[in-house]
Each structure stands twice: as structure tokens, then as C-alpha cells.
Amino acid sequence: MSSPNPTLTSHPATLTAVIGGTGMNQWPGLEIHSSLAMQTPYGEPSAPLAIGQIGGHPALFLARHGEGHKIPPHRINYRANLWALREAGAREVVAIAAVGAMAEWFAPGEIALPADLIDYTWGREHTYSDGAPDAEVHHVELTHPYTPALRGRIASAARQAGVRIGGAGVMAVSQGPRLETPAEITRMCRDGCDMVGMTGMPEAALAAELGVSYACIAVSVNWAAGIGSGGIHDEIRQSIERGMAKVQATLARLLAQGPVDATG
Ligand code: HPA
């Protein structure tokens, strides 16, 4: 690409971007046409954006943890990631997140569409409204951290693909990269959380600040600390591929629905 930050020359009203995390460092169904190294006012995103098509529909992909999965959750440049996707034309972002499960209904290998979240992270660059001298402070509304219309379309895509969605639920976002202690998980359960991941924030809030629709397909890969009986890493190894296969089938159907109005 010739200019440093070219946008896609023609993109539909709603260009869909997928941010893949642990277990999805690439999007196997995406037929990649080009790779776009972006610069943003906040630095570089985790990796070049993969631009391609799935089922004839254009789409973007970004590996959240970078090429080779080397960036830990607290070091991800979330601001650059969302900014780059928006600048490349994305109007909706589907975030894929491997999570530990607390809710009984969310066994390893199942997928869910969280409806709300609690942020337990700290020290991350978490806003674009950061006191620039010429900008007014903006208190973004996060009543719906996951865009209801996009969640609805993902749910319908999953149904069409014959994939069961386990439920909705509340996502706890922990700091990582370590896993939680059992007492931390007990507290999260008391707080009303159903699952825990490490990357959901500030991603959701930044998408809202940019006016980009955002939803998460959460993949249960283990029972959270103190809940299951086995070793967490063994559980992850055994379930992650099963869950990600459901994600791939759902995404293929979602993109096959074609572009929709961003407000839809
Ligand atoms: N906790 C936090 N993040 C995770 C987990 C977990 O148990 N499993 C996968 N991502």
C-alpha cells in the first residue's frame, strides 16, 4: 500500500472487523487480499490488519496479541487497535475472547454472547478522552457495552450455523496475565459475573468512544480457578479447538448476511 494509512477504497455501510485472541490468532475462513500496517496517533496496533473476504463479503482481521501471540493482555495497545480498525473502515467489531467460566451453564467448549461486564483491570490506557488541551471531556455511555443489534445478528448467525449459544451473562475483565485466585473468582461470582477474560476492557469502552458497534463471542475454555476439578491448562488444551470451531461457523454465517446499516 502506498500511503501510510490508506482506507479501503470502497467498503459497505457496515464493514465488519474481527479481533481474534487466544486460540484465534488467525481467521482461517478469511481469504486475505492484503495486509495493512497502520500508524495511529496512539502508536501501532498489535499487528498489520488482514484485509480480505469471507463468502464474498469484505472483512478485516486483527490479531489482538500480535503475530506469534506475544503481547500480554496488559500491554496490548487497545487504543491503536480500535483506532486502526475504525480508520480502515470498520463500523462493527466482533471480539473473540477465550474465557474462564463461573456460570454452570457455560461449560468448556461452549460459546456465549456477554451482555454486560465489570472491569477489574488497572493501569491500561483506557480512553481517547485523555485531557487534550483543545478537546472537551467526553463521558461515553456504556449502558450497552455490547451492542444489542450486533449481538442479535450474531445469535441469529449461530442459529443458522447450527451452533448453540450457551447464554448471555456478565464478563469479568481481569488484569492478567496470571489467572485468578479462587477467592478472586468467589468475589467475581458475588459481583454477578459469569465468566472471566483479560482483554474485554478497555476494548469495549474504546469502541463505544469511537461509535463502533461492538460485541464479543466468548469461548469457555476452562472452569475458573477453584470451580473445576482438573488443571486449568489441561482443560484449555482440551476445549479451545471445539469452541473456536463454533466461532468460525458463526462468523461465516454472520458475514454471509452481508452488509447492514450501521444503525440496524
Ligand atoms: N481467567 C481469565 N482469563 C482467561 C481464563 C481464566 O480462567 N481462561 C481463559 N482466559
Side-chain angles (χ1 to χ4, degrees), residues 98-110 164 179-182 185 189 193-196 219-239 242:
V99 299
M102 285 87 96
E104 250 176 63
W105 52 262
F106 200 22
E110 297 285 318
R164 198 178 89 86
L179 295 166
E180 299 71 33
T181 65
I185 293 297
C189 290
C193 299
D194 297 291
M195 63 196 82
V196 55
V219 182
S220 169
V221 293
N222 58 279
W223 292 113
I227 293 184
S229 49
I232 288 183
H233 290 291
D234 282 344
E235 251 171 11
I236 294 176
R237 267 188 293 278
Q238 283 162 26
S239 60
R242 228 172 339 123

Side-chain angles (χ1 to χ4, degrees), residues 1-251:
M1 297 270 170
S2 48
S3 88
N5 274 350
T7 51
L8 296 180
T9 44
S10 86
H11 53 74
T14 300
L15 178 62
T16 305
V18 170
I19 302 181
T22 301
M24 191 181 162
N25 227 40
Q26 284 157 357
W27 184 356
L30 186 70
E31 191 186 309
I32 298 173
H33 298 158
S34 56
S35 162
L36 190 56
M38 305 275 289
Q39 271 297 339
T40 79
Y42 305 94
E44 283 178 25
S46 297
L49 309 189
I51 300 174
Q53 287 203 333
I54 179 159
H57 298 288
L60 300 172
F61 178 77
L62 174 61
R64 188 189 280 118
H65 295 279
E67 286 168 338
H69 198 272
K70 293 191 178 133
I71 310 173
H74 64 294
R75 296 257 179 237
I76 290 167
N77 190 339
Y78 296 93
R79 292 195 298 184
N81 285 356
L82 273 297
W83 191 275
L85 290 171
R86 175 75 172 70
E87 195 170 332
R91 295 297 173 266
E92 61 182 23
V93 170
V94 181
I96 313 303
V99 299
M102 285 87 96
E104 250 176 63
W105 52 262
F106 200 22
E110 297 285 318
I111 67 173
L113 296 177
D116 206 343
L117 61 81
I118 298 182
D119 186 4
Y120 298 92
T121 69
W122 48 270
R124 302 181 179 190
E125 298 286 3
H126 63 284
T127 181
Y128 299 108
S129 192
D130 212 12
D134 53 346
E136 257 184 55
V137 175
H138 178 51
H139 301 284
V140 74
E141 179 174 343
L142 215 54
T143 308
H144 298 293
Y146 303 106
T147 310
L150 180 55
R151 290 180 65 245
R153 286 179 37 238
I154 296 170
S156 118
R159 265 194 305 277
Q160 287 168 24
V163 169
R164 198 178 89 86
I165 300 275
V170 176
M171 168 86 84
V173 189
S174 67
Q175 177 72 354
R178 68 166 177 83
L179 295 166
E180 299 71 33
T181 65
E184 286 169 334
I185 293 297
T186 301
R187 178 175 74 143
M188 288 171 178
C189 290
R190 262 200 320 267
D191 287 350
C193 299
D194 297 291
M195 63 196 82
V196 55
M198 299 175 188
T199 56
M201 284 292 273
E203 214 171 73
L206 293 168
E209 286 190 9
L210 292 179
V212 171
S213 296
Y214 180 87
C216 172
I217 307 180
V219 182
S220 169
V221 293
N222 58 279
W223 292 113
I227 293 184
S229 49
I232 288 183
H233 290 291
D234 282 344
E235 251 171 11
I236 294 176
R237 267 188 293 278
Q238 283 162 26
S239 60
I240 198 159
E241 268 181 40
R242 228 172 339 123
M244 291 301 162
K246 295 177 183 177
V247 168
Q248 301 307 330
T250 302
L251 288 176

